[in-house]
Amino acid sequence: MQKKRVVVLISGSGSNLQALIDDVQAGNLPVELVAVISNRPGVLGLERAAKANIAADVLDHKLFADRESFDRALMEKIDSYSPDLIVLAGFMRILTPEFTQHYLGRMLNIHPSLLPKFQGLHTHQRAIDAGESHHGVTVHFVTAELDGGPAIVQAWVPILAEDDATSLAKRVQRQEHIIYPLAVKWFAQGDICMQEGKCVLNGEPLPPSGFLIRSDEP
Ligand code: GRF
């Protein structure tokens, strides 16, 4: 069977991209990473892509007059690789409805919180400040609503008394690097899809929080 073609969008360090690269190279993830596109030049994620012999492309949003024209150019660039799936891996841009509609059902994002809690930025500090006992990360389908599309998989981690945002972020990131390759694998195998605003896994609609994974590892 033809492997699914995946384009990864990044803005920074690309540790989630690296997790995908590692799983592909280990033979655990049956996809072809056809391109990595960054909206910021010079970021580490682009080096990771080049090292893995993946086309590494930059489309600098600062060179565009507005969000609409950037998103249109980005769509053109993405589509030139004929992808089956778009993976947002630390892509720090708000997307236009035209963009999200174009890739509806075939674009995933990872967000470092137990959605629907803590949409937006600074999620680790906000979870600590709110006195939560647990925090985590969610992989979801992207819709027009920011951090609001149906969840595929969610990993929970405990918040410890001595945690600050940095220690908590590290614990969450270890789970990110497990659940993102898993969600991409499910998509590639045809195990998940988006139907009527819900994520369906092997024919069964998932609850709003997606498939749950809990880690008590400190
Ligand atoms: C991750 O924490 C992810 O959850 C968020 O942005 C960060 C990207 O990290 N969306 P990296 O670039 O993959 O290292």
Side-chain angles (χ1 to χ4, degrees):
M1 208 177 67
Q2 196 76 17
K3 283 186 182 166
K4 298 276 188 231
R5 296 169 62 81
V6 177
V7 168
V8 183
L9 304 189
I10 61 165
S11 301
S13 105
S15 70
N16 280 285
L17 164 67
Q18 190 64 55
L20 296 169
I21 292 172
D22 291 347
D23 266 25
V24 168
Q25 289 180 344
N28 297 330
L29 183 56
V31 302
E32 193 182 344
L33 298 172
V34 289
V36 171
I37 305 171
S38 172
N39 66 310
R40 291 204 185 113
V43 296
L44 177 60
L46 289 165
E47 284 174 41
R48 297 183 195 266
K51 211 169 160 195
N53 290 316
I54 301 166
D57 231 329
V58 176
L59 193 67
D60 188 345
H61 64 276
K62 294 202 187 100
L63 305 178
F64 290 81
D66 51 36
R67 198 174 289 287
E68 285 70 23
S69 55
F70 172 74
D71 274 13
R72 248 174 265 132
L74 182 57
M75 275 191 261
E76 247 178 61
K77 196 177 263 300
I78 293 171
D79 290 347
S80 72
Y81 293 101
S82 310
D84 301 295
L85 175 67
I86 321 302
V87 168
L88 308 183
F91 186 60
M92 305 303 281
R93 296 277 309 166
I94 291 173
L95 304 166
T96 55
E98 190 189 344
F99 189 93
T100 55
Q101 185 58 39
H102 184 60
Y103 298 111
L104 199 63
R106 54 189 180 113
M107 179 157 66
L108 312 184
N109 182 43
I110 189 158
H111 181 75
S113 81
L114 299 174
L115 288 172
K117 285 183 182 170
F118 309 118
Q119 294 163 330
L121 297 174
H122 312 299
T123 58
H124 309 300
Q125 190 59 54
R126 284 161 62 206
I128 291 171
D129 292 347
E132 298 281 334
S133 62
H134 286 80
H135 184 44
V137 54
T138 307
V139 177
H140 63 94
F141 282 104
V142 176
T143 62
E145 195 194 330
L146 180 70
D147 301 326
I152 299 165
V153 53
Q154 195 165 73
W156 290 45
V157 298
I159 298 181
L160 307 181
E162 62 272 25
D163 267 333
D164 58 15
T166 308
S167 62
L168 183 55
K170 266 195 200 148
R171 187 172 313 119
V172 170
Q173 272 228 321
R174 282 201 292 276
Q175 298 304 314
E176 295 186 13
H177 302 158
I178 295 169
I179 68 167
Y180 218 175
L182 177 67
V184 171
K185 188 176 185 173
W186 283 349
F187 187 92
Q189 294 176 166
D191 297 341
I192 50 163
C193 63
M194 196 175 120
Q195 262 174 27
E196 292 163 10
K198 282 196 176 136
C199 175
V200 175
L201 173 63
N202 294 324
E204 296 290 327
L206 286 174
S209 48
F211 185 90
L212 289 188
I213 292 178
R214 297 184 77 107
S215 167
D216 291 321
E217 177 197 326

